[in-house]
Amino acid sequence: DPNTYADPELEAEARSSIGSRLKSLLVLLVPPTLEEKVIKGYPMPLALAYQRFLHARFNIFEQVRRLIDLSEAICFFTYNIVLADVLRQPMYIGDKGARRAFNGYSMSARMDFVGAVQKLVKQPLVHRLFVPELVDAFDCEAAKYIQDQLRNRSYHTATLPESQQRNLLNEFQPRVEKLMADLEFLQQYTLARIPHLYVRNGVLHSRIEVYNGVNPSVDERPVSEISSYAQIDSDHLALLHDDNVMNLFPLFQLITSAETHYESHICFLKQRKQQEQRLEGESVHGAFILELDGFDQFERLQLNLVNTPLSGK
């Protein structure tokens, strides 16, 4: 009835509320598939890797390679998120190999780091993680098994014939997709850049570039004047959850340069090159190596792992 709402804003609000309820009902009646969840709602580094795996479905050799890439993307993303969290709070990691996993390419050492943090945060006097779901949801041993039995087996032998490639796919696709499905809580977090804060009708708003799913989008949200959104540099990527923010610099960066052909690429830390005084990153979009900013800041942050023992230990 057009006369139900005299105020257009109230009408729009009512329509939005009804739409949200209908969407919730649809999700209950027809739960989204893993593909739909990842492609639309997971952070872009995971969504793009999964999309490439799906697009390779007509070539078994490429499909196995993309499955390996997907497992690597899951592990690198998880490690760097946990590392970003731990670098901002004192937490002593006793295993030197795990503590300094960023100095090499070993995925096993990175998973040992995640496992050590999972154990530490269950102890008293230790701060909770910004993404506390990672404590119980991510299976480090399963990730290490996939790394050893899928990636290493494939890369350290001659190219397997099609029949054996299919056997690998049948064995490991469910394992990798289980790792991905266990991370579904990441849909509640927003990988974003916050380039603008502005006042509209006396209310502070933020303009947010959202990097969830395979396509970036723009969101606008009202925020309080003391919001932690204002603490993030406008050119840094961050992880948002409700009104809370975790700065991901320098572990995740949005790079636009000649190396990226002046397109915006999300890049993540691959390795610290201490002697060369640089951070080596990899483009999520192009899968090539490039240098990241923030080496000096990383050096200051990593002292939380090296020099600060856990309280009471």
Side-chain angles (χ1 to χ4, degrees):
D1 184 348
N3 297 318
T4 301
Y5 297 102
D7 189 332
E9 291 188 5
L10 289 177
E11 181 179 359
E13 184 178 339
R15 290 181 183 276
S16 176
S17 176
I18 293 171
S20 297
R21 293 178 185 178
L22 289 175
K23 287 180 181 179
S24 300
L25 180 60
L26 181 61
V27 168
L28 290 175
L29 295 176
V30 186
T33 64
L34 177 63
E35 176 180 342
E36 292 170 332
K37 292 177 183 178
V38 175
I39 297 302
K40 293 181 180 179
Y42 276 47
M44 189 174 285
L46 300 179
L48 285 176
Y50 194 57
Q51 183 185 61
R52 288 170 181 153
F53 169 69
L54 295 174
H55 286 177
R57 58 171 58 107
F58 301 115
N59 183 323
I60 187 63
F61 294 94
E62 183 185 0
Q63 200 172 12
V64 171
R65 173 57 190 265
R66 291 300 189 185
L67 186 66
I68 294 172
D69 292 346
L70 178 59
S71 68
E72 295 261 299
I74 293 170
C75 293
F76 264 116
F77 184 83
T78 302
Y79 168 75
N80 280 333
I81 289 294
V82 174
L83 180 60
D85 203 330
V86 173
L87 286 177
R88 288 165 174 80
Q89 57 181 310
M91 189 179 295
Y92 180 69
I93 308 297
D95 182 342
K96 183 178 179 180
R99 185 173 69 236
R100 291 181 171 271
F102 49 73
N103 281 340
Y105 293 119
S106 171
M107 189 60 74
S108 179
R110 284 173 167 79
M111 294 300 95
D112 287 341
F113 175 85
V114 174
V117 173
Q118 287 175 326
K119 292 178 181 178
L120 279 174
V121 296
K122 293 179 181 179
Q123 298 180 12
L125 305 178
V126 180
H127 297 295
R128 294 178 72 232
L129 295 178
F130 184 84
V131 188
E133 295 91 343
L134 283 172
V135 175
D136 297 315
F138 188 75
D139 189 339
C140 293
E141 293 306 314
K144 290 171 70 173
Y145 179 83
I146 293 169
Q147 176 77 11
D148 182 60
Q149 296 299 315
L150 175 61
R151 182 191 184 281
N152 294 347
R153 191 198 309 180
S154 299
Y155 284 178
H156 296 160
T157 62
T159 302
L160 298 174
E162 183 174 347
S163 60
Q164 293 187 47
Q165 295 279 354
R166 195 163 300 282
N167 288 339
L168 278 179
L169 185 66
N170 291 337
E171 178 181 355
F172 286 99
Q173 181 178 348
R175 295 177 184 270
V176 176
E177 289 188 332
K178 173 66 164 54
L179 283 182
M180 184 69 88
D182 288 344
L183 297 177
E184 67 175 354
F185 59 83
L186 288 173
Q187 297 173 96
Q188 303 169 25
Y189 294 81
T190 304
L191 180 63
R193 186 172 79 96
I194 309 174
H196 302 295
L197 292 173
Y198 59 91
V199 176
R200 177 188 293 163
N201 297 326
V203 178
L204 184 66
H205 286 71
S206 63
R207 183 181 186 274
I208 302 171
E209 296 175 358
V210 177
Y211 295 95
N212 279 32
V214 297
N215 297 308
S217 60
V218 175
D219 189 15
E220 294 185 356
R221 303 178 185 177
V223 295
S224 68
E225 294 183 3
I226 59 172
S227 170
S228 52
Y229 283 25
Q231 301 172 14
I232 304 299
D233 287 4
S234 62
D235 59 347
H236 287 180
L237 285 171
L239 200 63
L240 315 182
H241 187 246
D242 297 328
D243 198 36
N244 301 312
V245 179
M246 180 170 71
N247 192 346
L248 297 179
F249 186 83
L251 304 181
F252 289 91
Q253 298 182 33
L254 198 62
I255 303 293
T256 305
S257 67
E259 294 173 289
T260 67
H261 299 284
Y262 298 102
E263 296 180 348
S264 294
H265 283 215
I266 293 178
C267 304
F268 64 90
L269 176 67
K270 196 102 184 252
Q271 185 182 20
R272 177 183 75 158
K273 300 280 190 178
Q274 187 171 17
Q275 290 185 342
E276 301 171 24
Q277 299 284 290
R278 74 185 188 95
L279 299 179
E280 180 183 277
E282 180 176 313
S283 163
V284 168
H285 300 79
F288 54 81
I289 299 299
L290 73 175
E291 184 174 352
L292 299 181
D293 296 329
F295 179 84
D296 291 340
Q297 182 170 342
F298 184 83
E299 289 301 282
R300 292 192 297 271
L301 291 172
Q302 63 92 23
L303 293 178
N304 275 335
L305 302 178
V306 180
N307 296 329
T308 310
L310 184 66
S311 299
K313 295 293 181 181

